[in-house]
Amino acid sequence: MDLLKKYKNMPIQAKASIWYTICNFLQKGISFLVVPLYVRLLTTAEYGDWSVFQSWRDILIIFATLNLYAGVYTKTLVDNKDDRDRYTSSMQGLGTLITICLLGVYFITHEWCNHMIGLSTPYMLLLFLYFILYPAFSFWGTRQRVENNYRAMVIVTVIVSVLTPTVSILLLLNTDLREKALIVGYLSVQCAVGLVFYVYNFVKGRCFCDKKYWVYSAKFNIPLIPHYLSLIVLGQSDRIMIKHYCGEDDAGIYSFAYQIASVMNMFLSAINGSRVPWSYEKLRDRVYTRLKKLSNALCVMFGGITLMAALMAPDIIRILGTAEYEAATYVIPIVALGVYFTFVYDMFCTVEFYYGATKYVMVASVVGALSNMILNALLIPVFGFIAAAYTTLGSYIMFVFMHYIFMHVVMKQQKIEEEVYDIRFTIIFSLGLCTIVFASLLTYESIVVRYLFIVALITIAVVFRNRIMDTLKLMKK
């Protein structure tokens, strides 16, 4: 009853934050739970094709939509409270025009595109329909978040999250489409939902083109395309290049491992949801002592999650996968380390974003993505698909180094002489974590030794549970 009373007395922003967090976990959780079904119903090659499709989808949508529903849309909604309907409708019109132009390019080069992406023309046309309709749902969802209309957003998101895998699995079981059933199921549900909001946004806004909005949004987002594309390439190009050099089977095994390890991103998103605004407040007030203390505690907490993922990798594969995916065991720890270093460079990025130094973020993203692709091209043909995990980890470590340098440039520009973070601790802890994670790979041959490590890690967490709770309370406040 006390919890219910506290909830009722919360401001709308706090309630919205809670429900969006729950919604995010439900959405990612449902996607994670269907993975064991997919790997049992499909061969490794078919699962690899499905994963590679997802990579191409995430890359092409940047060119087809310019990510207009991302940063620029949120910023303009906040700045412009009186013309949101017309602005939304106009952005939808601009996105539609860009997609149609890209469709024209596809018709000219469709044979080459089909061969490169691995889909025939009917599937590609369905994908372009998705590029037109899907952003409508994203526009609507972003607006609900800005206006704190969390009830409708949560309900629709959960329905779509359940409906998508349900339709895909039904098609897989009742047709001969195999992995294409997942593609058709996913695109069909997204297009159907997107169509509803596509019509809704145009009916409310009654505007296809507003020159002022089109020019402003294009100028804002086009320079960010290299950044958006680099992040997608860094996270998705591995699968495409593994398929090219090693085949669909290895792409499927790597994708399965990546899917499991990336569940850590749910924890990362949840932590950053509180850490980033809290950090902005401390940067504003120039209170760096508490910022150092919290950052150190979060490094240890996230490092513990990373180590647990590495130690539990054989059990996770045994439970969620099949014997065909056993090689994925040695990929999970490396990908998990990559997620940890994502958290570390996010800390440095927070300073850059707070002071508006986004050009440094773009430079780091482009350099990291290009280096990752070059290393993949050199090492995957020699060492196989496992090399992709190490090249990605190396790229994230490069991100940490570059963002640390850029953060210091920003601090110098802002005349900040005190260290914002405890860099000495971060370096020592990160090196120690890498050593222990790599050592954990040796325990896979002895279940007794591995479980002793797991028990020791759980014991440490129990002993220091009060400090962990204090850290979480600090972010909550």
Side-chain angles (χ1 to χ4, degrees), residues 4 48 80 121 169 206 321 454:
L4 185 61
N80 187 358
T121 299
I169 292 171
R206 299 180 182 278
I454 293 172

mmCIF file with all atom_site columns, all heavy atoms in Angstrom, residues 4 48 80 121 169 206 321 454:
data_model
loop_
_atom_site.group_PDB
_atom_site.id
_atom_site.type_symbol
_atom_site.label_atom_id
_atom_site.label_alt_id
_atom_site.label_comp_id
_atom_site.label_asym_id
_atom_site.label_entity_id
_atom_site.label_seq_id
_atom_site.pdbx_PDB_ins_code
_atom_site.Cartn_x
_atom_site.Cartn_y
_atom_site.Cartn_z
_atom_site.occupancy
_atom_site.B_iso_or_equiv
_atom_site.pdbx_formal_charge
_atom_site.auth_seq_id
_atom_site.auth_comp_id
_atom_site.auth_asym_id
_atom_site.auth_atom_id
_atom_site.pdbx_PDB_model_num
ATOM 1  N N   . LEU A 1 4   ? 2.143  1.767   -3.443  1.00 0.00 ? 4   LEU A N   1
ATOM 2  C CA  . LEU A 1 4   ? 1.078  2.282   -4.304  1.00 0.00 ? 4   LEU A CA  1
ATOM 3  C C   . LEU A 1 4   ? 0.842  3.760   -4.046  1.00 0.00 ? 4   LEU A C   1
ATOM 4  O O   . LEU A 1 4   ? 0.638  4.547   -4.982  1.00 0.00 ? 4   LEU A O   1
ATOM 5  C CB  . LEU A 1 4   ? -0.209 1.482   -4.058  1.00 0.00 ? 4   LEU A CB  1
ATOM 6  C CG  . LEU A 1 4   ? -1.399 1.818   -4.958  1.00 0.00 ? 4   LEU A CG  1
ATOM 7  C CD1 . LEU A 1 4   ? -1.053 1.554   -6.419  1.00 0.00 ? 4   LEU A CD1 1
ATOM 8  C CD2 . LEU A 1 4   ? -2.634 1.002   -4.554  1.00 0.00 ? 4   LEU A CD2 1
ATOM 9  N N   . GLY A 1 48  ? 21.450 -17.606 -39.885 1.00 0.00 ? 48  GLY A N   1
ATOM 10 C CA  . GLY A 1 48  ? 22.439 -16.634 -40.343 1.00 0.00 ? 48  GLY A CA  1
ATOM 11 C C   . GLY A 1 48  ? 21.854 -15.679 -41.369 1.00 0.00 ? 48  GLY A C   1
ATOM 12 O O   . GLY A 1 48  ? 22.102 -14.472 -41.322 1.00 0.00 ? 48  GLY A O   1
ATOM 13 N N   . ASN A 1 80  ? 9.162  23.344  -29.995 1.00 0.00 ? 80  ASN A N   1
ATOM 14 C CA  . ASN A 1 80  ? 7.960  23.842  -30.679 1.00 0.00 ? 80  ASN A CA  1
ATOM 15 C C   . ASN A 1 80  ? 6.732  23.093  -30.161 1.00 0.00 ? 80  ASN A C   1
ATOM 16 O O   . ASN A 1 80  ? 6.425  21.994  -30.602 1.00 0.00 ? 80  ASN A O   1
ATOM 17 C CB  . ASN A 1 80  ? 8.114  23.643  -32.191 1.00 0.00 ? 80  ASN A CB  1
ATOM 18 C CG  . ASN A 1 80  ? 6.981  24.282  -32.970 1.00 0.00 ? 80  ASN A CG  1
ATOM 19 O OD1 . ASN A 1 80  ? 6.053  24.850  -32.399 1.00 0.00 ? 80  ASN A OD1 1
ATOM 20 N ND2 . ASN A 1 80  ? 7.048  24.182  -34.292 1.00 0.00 ? 80  ASN A ND2 1
ATOM 21 N N   . THR A 1 121 ? 13.277 -9.490  -55.570 1.00 0.00 ? 121 THR A N   1
ATOM 22 C CA  . THR A 1 121 ? 12.565 -8.217  -55.703 1.00 0.00 ? 121 THR A CA  1
ATOM 23 C C   . THR A 1 121 ? 11.307 -8.107  -54.841 1.00 0.00 ? 121 THR A C   1
ATOM 24 O O   . THR A 1 121 ? 11.084 -7.063  -54.217 1.00 0.00 ? 121 THR A O   1
ATOM 25 C CB  . THR A 1 121 ? 12.216 -7.966  -57.183 1.00 0.00 ? 121 THR A CB  1
ATOM 26 O OG1 . THR A 1 121 ? 13.436 -7.907  -57.944 1.00 0.00 ? 121 THR A OG1 1
ATOM 27 C CG2 . THR A 1 121 ? 11.457 -6.660  -57.354 1.00 0.00 ? 121 THR A CG2 1
ATOM 28 N N   . ILE A 1 169 ? 6.447  -16.889 -36.358 1.00 0.00 ? 169 ILE A N   1
ATOM 29 C CA  . ILE A 1 169 ? 6.508  -18.321 -36.040 1.00 0.00 ? 169 ILE A CA  1
ATOM 30 C C   . ILE A 1 169 ? 5.370  -19.082 -36.714 1.00 0.00 ? 169 ILE A C   1
ATOM 31 O O   . ILE A 1 169 ? 5.564  -20.205 -37.211 1.00 0.00 ? 169 ILE A O   1
ATOM 32 C CB  . ILE A 1 169 ? 6.486  -18.530 -34.513 1.00 0.00 ? 169 ILE A CB  1
ATOM 33 C CG1 . ILE A 1 169 ? 7.796  -18.007 -33.904 1.00 0.00 ? 169 ILE A CG1 1
ATOM 34 C CG2 . ILE A 1 169 ? 6.308  -20.010 -34.162 1.00 0.00 ? 169 ILE A CG2 1
ATOM 35 C CD1 . ILE A 1 169 ? 7.806  -17.972 -32.397 1.00 0.00 ? 169 ILE A CD1 1
ATOM 36 N N   . ARG A 1 206 ? -2.130 17.261  -41.676 1.00 0.00 ? 206 ARG A N   1
ATOM 37 C CA  . ARG A 1 206 ? -2.606 17.798  -42.967 1.00 0.00 ? 206 ARG A CA  1
ATOM 38 C C   . ARG A 1 206 ? -1.526 18.588  -43.703 1.00 0.00 ? 206 ARG A C   1
ATOM 39 O O   . ARG A 1 206 ? -1.773 19.665  -44.247 1.00 0.00 ? 206 ARG A O   1
ATOM 40 C CB  . ARG A 1 206 ? -3.844 18.676  -42.761 1.00 0.00 ? 206 ARG A CB  1
ATOM 41 C CG  . ARG A 1 206 ? -5.012 17.928  -42.157 1.00 0.00 ? 206 ARG A CG  1
ATOM 42 C CD  . ARG A 1 206 ? -6.223 18.824  -41.970 1.00 0.00 ? 206 ARG A CD  1
ATOM 43 N NE  . ARG A 1 206 ? -7.316 18.114  -41.362 1.00 0.00 ? 206 ARG A NE  1
ATOM 44 C CZ  . ARG A 1 206 ? -8.182 17.327  -42.021 1.00 0.00 ? 206 ARG A CZ  1
ATOM 45 N NH1 . ARG A 1 206 ? -8.045 17.175  -43.326 1.00 0.00 ? 206 ARG A NH1 1
ATOM 46 N NH2 . ARG A 1 206 ? -9.158 16.717  -41.383 1.00 0.00 ? 206 ARG A NH2 1
ATOM 47 N N   . GLY A 1 321 ? 20.545 -22.746 -26.836 1.00 0.00 ? 321 GLY A N   1
ATOM 48 C CA  . GLY A 1 321 ? 20.920 -23.166 -28.177 1.00 0.00 ? 321 GLY A CA  1
ATOM 49 C C   . GLY A 1 321 ? 20.878 -24.667 -28.361 1.00 0.00 ? 321 GLY A C   1
ATOM 50 O O   . GLY A 1 321 ? 20.255 -25.401 -27.598 1.00 0.00 ? 321 GLY A O   1
ATOM 51 N N   . ILE A 1 454 ? 31.880 -18.778 -10.134 1.00 0.00 ? 454 ILE A N   1
ATOM 52 C CA  . ILE A 1 454 ? 30.523 -18.220 -10.103 1.00 0.00 ? 454 ILE A CA  1
ATOM 53 C C   . ILE A 1 454 ? 30.059 -18.021 -8.666  1.00 0.00 ? 454 ILE A C   1
ATOM 54 O O   . ILE A 1 454 ? 29.500 -16.959 -8.314  1.00 0.00 ? 454 ILE A O   1
ATOM 55 C CB  . ILE A 1 454 ? 29.549 -19.142 -10.866 1.00 0.00 ? 454 ILE A CB  1
ATOM 56 C CG1 . ILE A 1 454 ? 29.885 -19.138 -12.362 1.00 0.00 ? 454 ILE A CG1 1
ATOM 57 C CG2 . ILE A 1 454 ? 28.103 -18.715 -10.635 1.00 0.00 ? 454 ILE A CG2 1
ATOM 58 C CD1 . ILE A 1 454 ? 29.102 -20.153 -13.176 1.00 0.00 ? 454 ILE A CD1 1
#
